[in-house]
């Protein structure tokens, strides 16, 4: 496991709890027309989230913004995207992720699998398509990066493009001053290493569990689901409306699905433990409908 200096959060949910404070639930669940940004939100109000954040969360973002450079992302892509670490079925990956336990947080009575099943079950209750339910079940499987020994700041955290100017709306923006890329002029223009409207597929986001899982599942799910997997942590875009200038027309259209998914990701966690044995046959069949028996991880 990573050393304490690289793991300021007592568990990965601490980042998600912070997101919930920053983006409180507004009851507009599951509609592709979900309004992402609050146009009236004052910059000052936005900064209060930073002031009120726990020291552990603050330290987590400090490390994330300091170390997620363009070169770091290229190195991690090279290290992980050959997908040559393991061969696992979706259930094996769920079981593997479930071994990620928070010794430091005895109050967390629910496992990673419980959280994912809760998300999927809420999507199912709301009558969404089967691929949407499946996306709820698998969307955080990329967090197995933690089990490979990767530091928290390279697994979770709001993602952002590297190699171009950092949006002012990225939380703890001031920590980018310590990122070596902030002293590389070609990485600090509006489009940086990219070009106007080039499409997000050309853009490298900060490294984490979204991109890793996207690469694992990209041949098997509908495009809408892949957008959800790949960009669910890209809060600067799907909640703040930033980086439109790098998006293609298709990205802009598809982000309606990323926004439709976000409330399930953020707000469905409860203390009610799902009945895994009872639910298993439904999910076994759903997984078989889309995925081969094993995948490369
Ligand atoms: Fe996630």
């Amino acid at each position: 496991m990573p050393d304490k200096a690289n793991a300021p959060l007592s568990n990965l949910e601490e980042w998600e709890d912070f997101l919930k404070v920053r983006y409180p639930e507004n009851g507009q669940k599951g509609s592709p027309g979900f309004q992402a940004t609050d146009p009236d939100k004052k910059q000052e109000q936005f900064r209060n989230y930073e002031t009120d954040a726990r020291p552990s969360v603050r330290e987590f973002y400090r490390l994330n913004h300091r170390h997620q450079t363009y070169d770091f992302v290229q190195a991690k892509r090279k290290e992980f995207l050959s997908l040559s670490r393991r061969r696992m079925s979706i259930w094996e990956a769920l079981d593997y992720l479930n071994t990620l336990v928070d010794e430091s947080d005895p109050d967390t009575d629910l496992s990673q699998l419980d959280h994912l099943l809760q998300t999927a079950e809420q999507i199912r209750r709301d009558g969404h398509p089967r691929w949407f339910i499946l996306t709820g079940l698998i969307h955080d499987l990329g967090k197995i990066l933690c089990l490979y020994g990767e530091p928290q700041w390279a697994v979770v955290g709001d993602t952002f493009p590297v190699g171009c100017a950092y949006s002012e709306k990225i939380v703890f923006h001031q920590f980018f001053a310590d990122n070596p890329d902030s002293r590389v002029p070609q990485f600090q223009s509006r489009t940086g290493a990219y070009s106007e409207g080039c499409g997000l597929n050309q853009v490298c986001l900060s490294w984490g569990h979204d991109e890793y899982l996207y690469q694992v599942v990209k041949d098997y799910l509908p495009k809408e689901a892949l957008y959800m997997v790949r960009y669910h942590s890209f809060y600067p875009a799907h909640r703040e409306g930033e980086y439109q200038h790098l998006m293609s027309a298709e990205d802009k259209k598809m982000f309606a699905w990323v926004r439709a998914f976000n409330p399930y990701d953020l707000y469905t966690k409860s203390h009610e433990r799902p009945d895994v044995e009872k639910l298993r046959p439904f999910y076994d069949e759903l997984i078989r409908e889309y995925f081969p028996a094993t995948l490369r991880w």
Side-chain angles (χ1 to χ4, degrees):
M1 290 305 282
D3 58 82
K4 194 70 193 133
N6 258 332
L9 304 175
S10 65
N11 58 72
L12 297 184
E13 273 85 53
E14 231 183 321
W15 164 61
E16 281 154 348
D17 289 343
F18 173 71
L19 287 175
K20 268 186 274 190
V21 174
R22 197 165 131 219
Y23 299 113
E25 186 166 19
N26 63 5
Q28 290 173 287
K29 234 175 222 171
S31 135
F34 175 72
Q35 174 66 41
T37 41
D38 176 358
D40 300 327
K41 191 161 68 184
K42 299 273 188 299
Q43 192 68 4
E44 202 179 316
Q45 199 181 334
F46 181 71
R47 292 295 172 227
N48 285 342
Y49 300 123
E50 298 178 354
T51 317
D52 297 341
R54 291 185 203 175
S56 53
V57 169
R58 189 183 175 81
E59 175 62 7
F60 164 78
Y61 278 106
R62 194 186 66 78
L63 292 168
N64 176 277
H65 291 6
R66 160 66 182 82
H67 294 293
Q68 291 271 1
T69 63
Y70 186 84
D71 287 348
F72 175 80
V73 174
Q74 305 312 319
K76 286 295 162 186
R77 292 179 66 89
K78 212 167 172 181
E79 186 181 347
F80 287 102
L81 297 187
S82 60
L83 305 180
S84 49
R85 277 183 172 61
R86 296 176 156 236
R87 275 176 193 273
M88 295 187 286
S89 68
I90 293 290
W91 268 108
E92 283 167 338
L94 284 162
D95 285 338
Y96 183 44
L97 181 66
N98 231 14
T99 64
L100 186 64
V101 285
D102 303 314
E103 304 98 358
S104 49
D105 187 2
D107 293 339
T108 305
D109 51 345
L110 292 178
S111 67
Q112 301 285 330
L113 175 61
D114 291 334
H115 285 314
L116 288 170
L117 279 170
Q118 281 179 345
T119 305
E121 281 293 284
Q122 187 59 51
I123 294 166
R124 186 181 173 192
R125 274 193 292 274
D126 287 355
H128 289 298
R130 287 171 68 79
W131 57 261
F132 197 152
I133 303 169
L134 182 58
T135 304
L137 180 73
I138 66 159
H139 76 279
D140 271 345
L141 279 179
K143 288 181 181 173
I144 63 171
L145 284 170
C146 269
L147 296 165
Y148 301 152
E150 291 299 288
Q152 291 169 342
W153 54 264
V155 179
V156 296
D158 326 21
T159 55
F160 54 86
V162 293
C164 63
Y166 308 114
S167 160
E168 287 285 337
K169 293 202 175 160
I170 300 172
V171 76
F172 291 110
H173 185 274
Q174 69 273 24
F175 290 145
F176 285 124
D178 293 329
N179 187 307
D181 285 356
S182 68
R183 292 180 289 282
V184 179
Q186 60 266 41
F187 285 164
Q188 291 310 314
S189 68
R190 198 169 110 89
T191 51
Y194 316 107
S195 60
E196 199 78 25
C198 62
L200 291 178
N201 194 40
Q202 306 293 315
V203 174
C204 284
L205 299 190
S206 52
W207 175 252
H209 69 288
D210 296 31
E211 179 68 16
Y212 174 55
L213 182 67
Y214 164 74
Q215 297 285 346
V216 172
V217 302
K218 67 176 186 223
D219 294 334
Y220 309 113
L221 294 176
K223 198 181 287 176
E224 294 83 352
L226 295 176
Y227 267 83
M228 292 171 177
V229 167
R230 197 176 198 183
Y231 300 114
H232 73 272
S233 304
F234 192 10
Y235 282 80
H238 70 69
R239 291 297 291 245
E240 303 294 343
E242 295 288 275
Y243 296 107
Q244 298 275 322
H245 60 289
L246 298 178
M247 291 188 182
S248 64
E250 185 178 41
D251 290 332
K252 289 177 189 172
K253 204 176 86 199
M254 283 298 183
F255 258 60
W257 291 102
V258 182
R259 291 192 294 272
F261 178 71
N262 184 243
Y264 296 105
D265 187 17
L266 267 192
Y267 311 124
T268 50
K269 283 169 188 169
S270 74
H271 285 287
E272 208 181 314
R273 188 188 295 275
D275 185 341
V276 182
E277 282 317 299
K278 205 175 120 204
L279 295 172
R280 175 96 191 219
F282 172 83
Y283 286 101
D284 274 339
E285 200 190 326
L286 183 55
I287 290 165
R288 261 201 311 274
E289 199 175 314
Y290 288 92
F291 289 112
T294 60
L295 296 91
R296 290 157 43 89
W297 298 82

